[in-house]
Amino acid sequence: MSAADLQGAREEVPAVDSGVDLGVALGALRLENPIATASGCFASGREMDRFVDVGSIGAVVVKSLTRLPRKGLPTPRMVETPSGMLNAIGLQNPGIDAWLEDDLPWLVEHGATTVVSVAGDTVEDFVHVVRRLRGIAGIAAIEVNLSCPNVEHRGLVFALDPEASAELVRAVARVADVPVLAKLSADASDVVAVAAAAVKAGADGLTLINTILGMAIDPVSGRAELANTYGGLSGPAIRPVAVRVVHQVHAALPDVPIVGCGGVRSVEDVVQFLRAGASAVAVGTGGFVDPFATETLRDGLAAWLSAHGFSSVRDIIGDVRTGHDA
Amino acid sequence: MKRGTVSGRTDRDGPIRVVAEVVTRRRTGPYTTLVIATQELAARSSPGHFVEVAVEAPGTLLRRPLSIARADAAASGVGIVELVIGPDGPGSAWLAEVQTGSHLDVIGPLGKPFPLPQRPARCLLVGGGYGAAPLHYLAEVLVPLGHRVDLIVGASSESTLLHSIEAKRVAHSLQTTTEDGSAGMRGRVTDAIPDVVARHGSDVIYACGPNAMLAAVSVLGGQLGVPVRVSLEERMACGLGVCFTCAIPVRDRDGEVQMRRSCIDGPVMDGSRVDWRLMGLGHVVDAMGGGADDPDPTEAGADPTDRAVVA
Ligand SMILES: Cc1cc2nc3c(=O)[nH]c(=O)nc-3n(C[C@H](O)[C@H](O)[C@H](O)COP(=O)(O)OP(=O)(O)OC[C@H]3O[C@@H](n4cnc5c(N)ncnc54)[C@H](O)[C@@H]3O)c2cc1C
Ligand SMILES: Cc1cc2nc3c(=O)[nH]c(=O)nc-3n(C[C@H](O)[C@H](O)[C@H](O)COP(=O)(O)O)c2cc1C
Ligand code: FES
């Protein structure tokens, strides 16, 4: 390897100033570029400082935070599946108080556009966390992780039921002083109904989708691969489902901003989500394989748009042809 | 990504990504050694570090974590890093077939390496399977620093025993064990440890191999009063500290169990603090005669790798 190969950061994408406008708006929230990180796939952000400048990421969605610290589930917590993986982490996190003290100041100092994902067992749990975020500088938005079992309703996951989702989003929106995104699940039998209920209850935008519930069994030992038996499927394996959900929800609620999420690896994947109707795209599992993904996708998107004659990323949002459209 | 490129925050310490040429491939029994040419990665590596390697086996997505089995920033003017791959699933099979002259996409060095003794120490290195490879590398680092190195390498049979001629040359003593007795002493590495500890007065044990072996060595170390540093293997989706799939139950100073990410807080950990029972290895602890409570952390001052003691 020659000294000429030593190029520092972002060697792969020429630092083109293509003149393409990458700015997007999620309601009142403006992002410099549409590439975000997915909750639970970027930890607190600090870990990734070794690879990328977190200040230049469209939005950093942090790991879901709960009222009290959580240790999470036993291992194995992960198993690889064809073009994807199953995980059951159990929301391991330091709790909202420790996060506010230890992690938020670092994100602020590094110029991150921080979106706080909140989780809980009960509506009151979520409200407690959101109340703690009131009046705190450096928080761009709140994302409500509705893929949590509601212990007050026999453990039924909020996101599966329009009414439970509406109740939770309403309670959060009432106390939040920044935009609220509701993160939904494709496991719901009618995700469009859940989306409509969440928006009616006060969600400013939607993140689509969380992982899809799955299971893998070791054929020889007969044991479930995950200690928790079931886990969330992520990665390219779920991308077509995520694109479908974004398209359906955008068609039904064209004015509601959407963050698309599920299996993003390449610039072409980002473009699919934008065309389906997402205004921004979150990268989760893809960042495990390529820790530089937020930067390479951002620069690659600018290059793609320029090469295809677009001057603004907003030109392709929702620009999809289906059926007999010309 | 272009071949031969280095990316990341090259101006700082810490991990980088390299697309490095495979300059040598060797087969030793069931193991394949890949030597990649990368001065930048070699210069940053220490024994106990690992890398995450991209694999292109059909249907796979995630990188594979592999220990750095050797690094030499000065080797033949280019700098090299060695990886040793054992037989496992599709990712390992793909890696074992990588041809000389092709390129590997590697991120590293990752994790916290083996802590080195802060005063002259008698070190016992215990390796099982491909776990012996990073210990040869550790021995190469320890000996020139003036430490004594005794090496125990174990395997199920001679055909799966990984011990290099260089290791034999660098270590002060080498004991091999095989479960079927086809080479060296019949038995497991733990059968050989008490005698070596008694003979050479080991101050610290470094162990690398399957988790069950690490559990057994940790229990034994506790019984013998020798601190144990283990390099753990837990499934890792990222290896970068962001996904929390690799959590290991570790007891903190108050005895409370915390789930620590082995990719960023490890993979090397204090064996006496790992809760092996919570890792599903209670049967190993019991077989080793581990008490209801796993071994206590060794007394302050007894551990030569403890920086606080010399500071
Ligand atoms: C810190 C560390 C260092 C390692 N060093 C080496 C080494 O030097 N040489 C070597 O041959 N192997 C090493 N391993 C184990 C190696 O990562 C696995 O054998 C390999 O990932 C298996 O992939 P596969 O596709 O062959 O098997 P599969 O079983 O099909 O893998 C499926 C998934 O499970 C994960 N997985 C399976 N087994 C393990 C395991 N034992 N540890 C971690 N993840 C696993 C894989 O990464 C993959 O994501 C190390 C593991 C860790 C955590
Ligand atoms: C290891 C892991 C942990 C996750 N943790 C969370 C979480 O805490 N909160 C959340 O809303 N989503 C979480 N997710 C879901 C992701 O944010 C994302 O919605 C999903 O993985 C699909 O995107 P991907 O295919 O790009 O990963 C997690 C996903 C993974 C793989
Ligand atoms: S493997 Fe992802 S946090 Fe350790």
Side-chain angles (χ1 to χ4, degrees):
Chain A
M1 194 171 292
S2 72
D5 292 329
L6 248 181
Q7 300 165 22
R10 288 162 232 142
E11 91 308 325
E12 201 173 319
V13 183
V16 279
D17 186 6
S18 53
V20 172
D21 181 1
L22 288 181
V24 293
L26 298 169
L29 174 62
R30 312 229 160 246
L31 306 184
E32 264 175 46
N33 71 76
I35 310 297
T37 65
S39 177
C41 301
F42 209 71
S44 65
R46 205 182 298 208
E47 293 82 350
M48 291 302 275
D49 180 54
R50 301 180 294 167
F51 302 100
V52 290
D53 170 13
V54 298
S56 71
I57 298 173
V60 172
V61 184
V62 302
K63 173 124 194 92
S64 293
L65 294 160
T66 51
R67 182 178 194 154
L68 297 172
R70 288 212 189 165
K71 291 193 170 151
L73 293 161
T75 58
R77 290 177 169 187
M78 182 285 278
V79 60
E80 194 182 36
T81 57
S83 299
M85 59 173 271
L86 291 167
N87 87 82
I89 310 294
L91 292 177
Q92 178 172 353
N93 80 94
I96 185 64
D97 293 340
W99 181 83
L100 283 171
E101 194 169 329
D102 302 335
D103 294 328
L104 179 62
W106 186 91
L107 289 165
V108 170
E109 190 188 316
H110 287 76
T113 301
T114 304
V115 175
V116 182
S117 172
V118 297
D121 291 332
T122 64
V123 172
E124 183 42 41
D125 276 355
F126 282 83
V127 169
H128 175 94
V129 177
V130 174
R131 244 192 221 114
R132 293 283 288 113
L133 299 172
R134 282 177 65 98
I136 290 180
I139 294 171
I142 288 167
E143 184 177 90
V144 187
N145 178 356
L146 285 124
S147 293
C148 296
N150 179 357
V151 300
E152 289 168 334
H153 277 273
R154 294 168 283 110
L156 185 72
V157 171
F158 287 100
L160 298 187
D161 175 38
E163 261 170 54
S165 296
E167 186 198 343
L168 176 54
V169 171
R170 194 174 302 117
V172 166
R174 205 174 281 146
V175 286
D177 60 3
V178 290
V180 171
L181 303 170
K183 185 169 181 183
L184 305 185
S185 167
D187 290 337
S189 54
D190 184 352
V191 64
V192 175
V194 179
V199 168
K200 202 162 162 234
D204 300 291
L206 302 165
T207 302
L208 306 170
I209 57 175
N210 213 312
T211 54
I212 296 172
L213 203 61
M215 178 179 183
I217 301 169
D218 181 320
V220 178
S221 71
R223 286 196 65 82
E225 290 270 13
L226 296 174
N228 187 53
T229 308
Y230 308 127
L233 182 62
S234 65
I238 72 166
R239 190 196 309 132
V241 178
V243 171
R244 180 269 294 177
V245 170
V246 170
H247 182 256
Q248 278 185 325
V249 171
H250 181 66
L253 306 163
D255 299 329
V256 178
I258 294 171
V259 180
C261 179
V264 171
R265 290 277 286 127
S266 68
V267 170
E268 288 74 15
D269 301 340
V270 172
V271 171
Q272 278 199 56
F273 274 100
L274 296 171
R275 285 196 181 277
S279 298
V281 170
V283 185
T285 307
F288 302 167
V289 188
D290 177 9
F292 306 98
T294 48
E295 290 181 352
T296 50
L297 292 177
R298 176 200 61 201
D299 296 348
L301 178 63
W304 190 95
L305 290 166
S306 161
H308 289 82
F310 297 100
S311 59
S312 164
V313 65
R314 297 185 297 279
D315 294 345
I316 61 166
I317 294 172
D319 180 27
V320 62
R321 267 163 290 280
T322 59
H324 294 292
D325 291 3
Chain B
M1 189 156 119
K2 284 197 293 290
R3 293 173 163 198
T5 50
V6 179
S7 53
R9 301 192 150 189
T10 45
D11 53 329
R12 315 182 182 177
D13 290 343
I16 50 171
R17 175 183 181 187
V18 297
V19 178
E21 185 179 349
V22 177
V23 290
T24 310
R25 184 178 73 157
R26 279 195 305 269
R27 289 271 158 85
T28 325
Y31 307 106
T32 304
T33 301
L34 296 179
V35 183
I36 58 172
T38 162
Q39 213 276 326
E40 293 76 16
L41 181 56
R44 288 161 189 257
S45 300
S46 301
H49 273 139
F50 70 99
V51 292
E52 284 279 356
V53 186
V55 297
E56 285 159 31
T60 60
L61 168 67
L62 303 169
R63 288 171 181 266
R64 297 298 192 256
L66 295 173
S67 299
I68 294 178
R70 199 159 162 267
D72 185 346
S76 41
V78 283
I80 54 104
V81 165
E82 289 189 18
L83 307 172
V84 176
I85 296 116
D88 198 338
S92 306
W94 183 87
L95 281 164
E97 291 308 320
V98 167
Q99 300 298 313
T100 305
S102 55
H103 285 71
L104 279 186
D105 171 352
V106 176
I107 295 173
L110 295 165
K112 292 208 166 55
F114 286 110
L116 300 181
Q118 302 294 300
R119 50 183 153 90
R122 290 153 296 189
C123 308
L124 172 53
L125 280 46
V126 182
Y130 53 73
L135 292 181
H136 297 165
Y137 176 26
L138 178 61
E140 280 184 5
V141 169
L142 287 171
V143 170
L145 292 173
H147 304 293
R148 182 185 167 89
V149 171
D150 298 294
L151 189 58
I152 300 176
V153 177
S156 52
S157 76
E158 184 177 21
S159 62
T160 58
L161 197 59
L162 185 76
H163 64 94
S164 63
I165 301 152
E166 305 90 70
K168 200 164 181 174
R169 217 182 297 133
V170 69
H172 294 90
S173 79
L174 169 68
Q175 169 79 68
T176 55
T177 66
T178 52
E179 286 179 38
D180 63 4
S182 51
M185 177 181 161
R186 178 193 290 273
R188 301 186 168 183
V189 289
T190 40
D191 298 321
I193 289 174
D195 183 50
V196 175
V197 169
R199 233 174 330 134
H200 304 298
S202 313
D203 300 306
V204 58
I205 298 175
Y206 296 97
C208 191
N211 286 349
M213 183 202 103
L214 303 180
V217 173
S218 297
V219 174
L220 188 56
Q223 290 162 349
L224 298 169
V226 184
V228 181
R229 291 286 178 276
V230 296
S231 177
L232 286 151
E233 272 186 25
E234 184 52 76
R235 289 189 201 169
M236 294 179 176
C238 74
L240 311 171
V242 295
C243 74
F244 285 80
T245 60
C246 64
I248 300 273
V250 178
R251 267 173 284 119
D252 61 19
R253 294 203 181 274
D254 304 325
E256 204 189 320
V257 171
Q258 309 289 349
M259 297 301 280
R260 305 294 297 271
R261 284 165 289 177
S262 55
C263 68
I264 198 164
D265 297 325
V268 176
M269 292 194 177
D270 178 342
S272 70
R273 291 192 182 275
V274 176
D275 194 316
W276 302 104
R277 289 183 195 281
L278 283 179
M279 289 186 67
L281 294 167
H283 59 285
V284 176
V285 175
D286 293 335
M288 290 303 295
D293 287 312
D294 295 346
D296 285 316
T298 33
E299 282 168 48
D303 185 345
T305 67
D306 193 346
R307 284 169 185 279
V309 178
V310 278

